[in-house]
Amino acid sequence: MDRVSSFDEPLKKLLGGATAKVMAEHLDLHTVGDLLHHYPRRYEERGKLTALADLPLDEHVTVVAQVADARILMFNNGRGKRLEVTLTDGSGRLQLVFFGHGVHKPHKELLPGRQAMFAGKVSVFNRKMQLAHPTYQLLDASDADEATEAVDAFAGRLLPIYPACKQLDSWRIAKAVDAVLPSAQDAVDPLPASLREGRGFTPLPEALLKVHRPQTKADIEDAKARLKWDEAFVLQVALARRRYADTQLPAAARRPVADGLLDAFDAKLPFTLTEGQEKVSKEIFDDLATEHPMHRLLQGEVGSGKTMVALRAMLAVVDAGGQAAMLAPTEVLAQQHHRSITEMMGELAEGGMLGGSDRGTKVVLLTGSMGMAARRQALLDLVTGEAGIVIGTHALIEDKVQFHDLGLVVVDEQHRFGVEQRDALRSKGKQPPHLLVMTATPIPRTVAMTVFGDLETSVLDQLPAGRSPIASHVVPAKDKPHFLARAWERVREEVENGHLAYVVCPRIGDDAEEAEGKKGKAKKKAADEDPEKRPPLAVLEIADELRKGALAGLTVEVLHGRMHPDEKDDVMRRFAAGDVDVLVATTVIEVGVNVPNATAMVIMDADRFGVSQLHQLRGRVGRGSAPGLCLLVSEAHEASPARARLSAVAATLDGFELSRIDLEQRREGDVLGQAQSGVRSSLRMLTVIDDEEVIAAAREEAVAIVAADPELEHLPELRTVLAALLDKDREEYLDKG
């Protein structure tokens, strides 16, 4: 058998069809290699030997004792069978119990007078200590030394506990691992020998043996260090190769021209850019000036001025004769960007129009719900090059959309776009356009290196001058209803002082929503029986209550995703102008909505939102000179994880800190794209948030290796392992980020 194939061997050859079927269906394990990479979640120590008199309840113990008596009892009219064994060790007595088919073997072996070692979890039944279905080992060695050795080996062993499922418990998985463990010798080692020796790593076969069958705790640490490194390294090599391949693509260099659109725009800015914005702009302009496509991630704190940086990059590209497209995840956001960009540019956005600047260009909006005439005009402006900048939703990606010379694509809120969309838009350029991805959710550095590893990263962590602090408080509506009453008073006070307020709810509450689930009545009934199960609060209901009650006399309007786009636009416009005092909305306002005079936000059922979502929402207030206020209303119990999450959000305005907290709570599954691609995370040992040093070091090594040998011609083993990791699903999973 050659070295690769024993890892590719289907499990049913070695384990039998039934076990292999359960492993495939419930644990997604199909080959010997899959099972060898199914690592123990933790290890139980069988415990040092405990005297029967000192048994602790609910703990795993190992005891050596003598069988005093054993008897089979019938129950359930003779249909059930139970074996009860009484042990003694001179210090006390202990009962063992075995049920059903499990009674035959111990009944034959555990005869009065036999000595054995027993391991299990101590429980109490009928006020007596007992072990149910313990594992045991008979100690009838004639030689006393041999018996002592057996006791030591058994008691001191580390038992691997595997991630299991209802159909297959951990010890059966352990038995299956025993069957495939000899194949660990055939593991293809992806690490170049110089790297492995330089870092003092255990060889891979040995690491696999140590992780599954450790003799000591040091074995576990050794194995983990090696296996974590492999995961980080192989992933980073894949990403480094993708970055390298991108640098080999041709692109048109786009350099801003003196006295062009960008200079004219900068000259009319009423404020100066922050140091951070200057620095990041320089990184972007340097990339745009090269003849291969820029691939850059721009991440920044909520309100750090990412749009301004992106707009200046777009203007530089228009100066250089190209066009720029900005892709937004929702129509509300596309309209918002279009409005704020045309406002910022003034007459520079009216190129070719009467009264427009001769240095200007046209800025067009393209969304799916536009009227035919407006849409036809926008498409015409794009194909002739009349429009230098287009802002739109997925509608931009359609086949019909043709550009004169697409030079830059700005993607807002990356995690909502798969790679297919990125590529579809890219293919509209004569050559691959430059790509700038903006994410409004700050991401810890390691996650950025792993999830967005094919992009260079720029970070804006400075807020522009004139941004105000936001005070955040949790309002425990259930325990302290008067706090909620006070929250509405605060909203009224803000409005009386000439400001505006948002109220955010998790759901719309219209008929379409109820019809979609057809669960309205059932939900209501469940809610009456158990208030914990009530449906989330809804925009339409809360708006109605507020108009009649706590905010009577104020102008209260609603905004949600099922409204007609013109209607949404109209409400947003009137709110921004101050004709609407309070906007009750769903999370459509989560990203990019910019109303400087909005100072207060009340988030209903705040515990039903994620940490980064709450941080996003909160970033909609305090955008002007007046301080912001964010009230997180929750009925969650004080000691619940949900409340802990809200307290964390209230305690810090640092999005990077919050994203760490969020990650620690959700772990990587969500972050690494299960939600986006439905593919299981290929990280088994590595935790992105805890293994920062490993990821950073692996990235460094990977970049060096790929620079020296892009095709990995001299590293066939690494190529083999990469091919296995990057089968079709994994490739997509990496792509989707």
Side-chain angles (χ1 to χ4, degrees):
M1 190 185 294
D2 70 43
R3 295 183 60 204
V4 188
S5 64
S6 76
F7 258 48
D8 292 338
E9 191 81 38
L11 284 171
K12 60 172 173 277
K13 272 195 174 174
L14 288 159
L15 304 178
T19 306
K21 188 167 187 272
V22 172
M23 285 193 166
E25 283 174 11
H26 298 281
L27 296 169
D28 198 14
L29 304 174
H30 306 273
T31 63
V32 167
D34 288 345
L35 182 53
L36 285 173
H37 288 299
H38 187 70
Y39 307 131
R41 183 186 295 132
R42 58 189 170 86
Y43 301 85
E44 285 288 0
E45 282 187 84
R46 267 202 172 132
K48 300 304 164 223
L49 297 177
T50 316
L52 294 187
D54 311 326
L55 290 178
L57 197 57
D58 277 344
E59 277 191 27
H60 281 271
V61 297
T62 306
V63 297
V64 170
Q66 200 168 26
V67 177
D69 69 63
R71 58 192 180 283
I72 283 194
L73 304 171
M74 298 299 200
F75 60 92
N76 213 354
N77 291 334
R79 287 199 296 275
K81 211 186 261 191
R82 150 169 115 241
L83 170 66
E84 286 185 1
V85 179
T86 308
L87 303 181
T88 172
D89 71 346
S91 76
R93 293 169 86 78
L94 173 68
Q95 185 136 26
L96 311 180
V97 59
F98 299 88
F99 292 100
H101 298 303
V103 306
H104 305 303
K105 189 167 175 254
H107 188 223
K108 282 203 293 248
E109 294 182 339
L110 298 177
L111 305 171
R114 303 275 309 252
Q115 196 182 29
M117 197 162 22
F118 303 89
K121 192 173 182 184
V122 183
S123 57
V124 167
F125 181 70
N126 277 347
R127 296 207 292 266
K128 280 187 194 157
M129 293 275 203
Q130 74 165 24
L131 297 182
H133 280 286
T135 45
Y136 63 89
Q137 188 169 333
L138 298 170
L139 296 175
D140 287 350
S142 46
D143 179 354
D145 288 346
E146 208 177 301
T148 311
E149 247 172 65
V151 168
D152 287 347
F154 185 89
R157 236 182 87 201
L158 291 157
L159 288 182
I161 306 295
Y162 287 92
C165 59
K166 199 166 74 189
Q167 297 77 1
L168 201 63
D169 48 30
S170 172
W171 67 267
R172 282 173 63 200
I173 295 172
K175 273 182 86 160
V177 169
D178 281 336
V180 301
L181 211 47
S183 299
Q185 293 309 322
D186 303 331
V188 176
D189 198 324
L191 296 194
S194 58
L195 193 157
R196 190 173 65 238
E197 286 148 20
R199 290 186 174 265
F201 284 130
T202 306
L204 185 55
E206 194 183 315
L208 289 169
L209 288 172
K210 281 180 169 177
V211 79
H212 289 293
R213 298 294 173 260
Q215 299 299 309
T216 62
K217 288 186 174 168
D219 281 356
I220 300 172
E221 290 317 305
D222 264 7
K224 278 186 169 176
R226 169 65 215 255
L227 297 167
K228 269 183 184 181
W229 176 271
D230 281 18
E231 284 180 6
F233 177 70
V234 171
L235 191 58
Q236 291 301 334
V237 168
L239 292 165
R241 288 186 74 191
R242 169 152 317 147
R243 278 198 306 278
Y244 178 84
D246 284 336
T247 64
Q248 302 310 297
L249 294 172
R254 310 280 179 173
R255 299 182 184 84
V257 295
D259 292 330
L261 189 54
L262 179 61
D263 284 351
F265 175 76
D266 283 351
K268 66 192 282 293
L269 274 184
F271 50 82
T272 53
L273 298 176
T274 64
E275 258 174 71
Q277 286 174 317
E278 294 276 14
K279 179 176 129 300
V280 169
S281 289
K282 183 180 179 326
E283 292 171 351
I284 292 171
F285 289 151
D286 288 351
D287 282 359
L288 290 174
T290 59
E291 292 184 350
H292 55 77
M294 161 171 84
H295 284 104
R296 191 166 280 281
L297 171 70
L298 171 57
Q299 62 157 325
E301 200 38 273
V302 176
S304 56
K306 292 182 291 290
T307 311
M308 172 60 70
V309 169
L311 174 57
R312 293 183 71 246
M314 288 158 76
L315 295 175
V317 168
V318 174
D319 267 349
Q323 289 169 295
M326 182 185 248
L327 198 54
T330 64
E331 295 210 346
V332 167
L333 201 49
Q335 287 163 340
Q336 173 81 31
H337 278 317
H338 182 254
R339 187 158 52 242
S340 62
I341 283 173
T342 47
E343 277 167 15
M344 281 196 274
M345 286 176 64
E347 76 281 2
L348 296 174
E350 295 164 2
M353 299 185 213
L354 209 58
S357 160
D358 53 352
R359 282 187 290 190
T361 187
K362 233 178 180 185
V363 179
V364 299
L365 177 69
L366 190 62
T367 62
S369 63
M370 281 168 79
M372 273 313 290
R375 187 182 173 78
R376 205 172 290 124
Q377 184 59 52
L379 291 173
L380 189 65
D381 288 341
L382 286 179
V383 76
T384 58
E386 186 86 7
I389 294 177
V390 58
I391 293 147
T393 52
H394 288 71
L396 279 179
I397 300 170
E398 291 170 11
D399 294 343
K400 289 199 228 24
V401 182
Q402 301 289 316
F403 289 85
H404 177 64
D405 179 12
L406 181 61
L408 170 66
V409 175
V410 178
V411 178
D412 188 10
E413 275 298 272
Q414 154 69 10
H415 57 259
R416 309 195 187 183
F417 286 104
V419 74
E420 300 90 347
Q421 287 120 319
R422 254 203 275 177
D423 284 348
L425 196 52
R426 261 193 204 161
S427 65
K428 294 185 177 294
K430 293 174 182 159
Q431 288 182 311
H434 298 282
L435 175 71
L436 180 65
V437 172
M438 300 198 292
T439 168
T441 308
I443 317 168
R445 175 169 156 268
T446 39
V447 181
M449 284 195 306
T450 308
V451 181
F452 296 106
D454 58 333
L455 304 172
E456 299 299 329
T457 306
S458 295
V459 175
L460 276 175
D461 46 13
Q462 226 181 341
L463 291 186
R467 289 304 295 264
S468 304
I470 304 171
S472 307
H473 304 284
V474 179
V475 178
K478 205 171 191 174
D479 317 342
K480 302 181 176 164
H482 59 286
F483 274 39
L484 183 56
R486 176 70 189 121
W488 299 127
E489 276 171 33
R490 283 293 291 113
V491 168
R492 204 176 261 287
E493 286 163 18
E494 289 298 312
V495 173
E496 280 163 8
N497 288 331
H499 300 305
L500 309 170
Y502 295 101
V503 176
V504 181
C505 305
R507 134 189 119 85
I508 301 172
D510 61 359
D511 298 340
E513 198 171 53
E514 294 298 2
E516 257 172 38
K518 295 199 172 158
K519 292 180 187 150
K521 285 179 185 156
K523 275 184 182 169
K524 188 160 182 3
K525 184 168 181 285
D528 294 340
E529 288 162 21
D530 178 3
E532 290 293 298
K533 287 192 183 142
R534 69 164 174 75
L537 294 171
V539 165
L540 301 176
E541 290 155 20
I542 293 290
D544 212 34
E545 279 173 33
L546 291 174
R547 284 186 195 112
K548 291 176 186 156
L551 301 182
L554 302 184
T555 319
V556 177
E557 295 261 2
V558 301
L559 179 72
H560 58 75
R562 244 194 295 271
M563 287 161 63
H564 187 276
D566 293 347
E567 214 182 333
K568 283 191 243 185
D569 206 34
D570 175 56
V571 171
M572 266 325 290
R573 219 180 278 270
R574 287 187 296 118
F575 181 60
D579 300 335
V580 172
D581 300 321
V582 179
L583 189 63
V584 183
T586 54
T587 52
V588 289
I589 61 158
E590 179 186 349
V591 178
V593 170
N594 186 25
V595 180
N597 196 26
T599 53
M601 175 175 284
V602 180
I603 302 179
M604 307 302 290
D605 274 344
D607 45 277
R608 311 222 185 183
F609 298 97
V611 170
S612 53
Q613 210 173 19
L614 291 169
H615 183 55
Q616 279 304 326
L617 288 165
R618 168 173 64 185
R620 302 306 109 213
V621 296
R623 299 179 81 86
S625 50
L629 172 70
C630 179
L631 301 172
L632 306 165
V633 179
S634 166
E635 291 188 6
H637 191 275
E638 196 166 357
S640 66
R643 273 287 284 280
R645 222 171 44 226
L646 295 183
S647 303
V649 173
T652 177
L653 289 172
D654 180 341
F656 287 93
E657 175 55 31
L658 284 174
S659 67
R660 282 193 83 87
I661 292 168
D662 194 20
L663 239 179
E664 276 161 8
Q665 291 186 338
R666 296 189 301 149
R667 301 318 291 180
E668 284 67 33
D670 302 351
V671 182
L672 293 187
Q674 261 176 318
Q676 282 87 330
S677 65
V679 174
R680 183 177 55 139
S681 157
S682 59
L683 303 185
R684 318 270 171 94
M685 188 62 87
L686 193 72
T687 53
V688 172
I689 200 73
D690 301 329
D691 296 316
E692 199 151 343
E693 289 78 15
V694 178
I695 291 169
R699 180 177 173 121
E700 224 167 275
E701 295 276 12
V703 168
I705 281 170
V706 171
D709 181 4
E711 292 304 314
L712 307 179
E713 281 167 21
H714 305 296
L715 298 167
E717 291 83 5
L718 178 53
R719 258 206 336 268
T720 302
V721 172
L722 261 180
L725 171 79
L726 300 182
D727 54 30
K728 184 98 184 73
D729 287 347
R730 296 270 189 266
E731 276 273 63
E732 281 175 13
Y733 149 92
L734 274 178
D735 272 333
K736 289 197 165 115

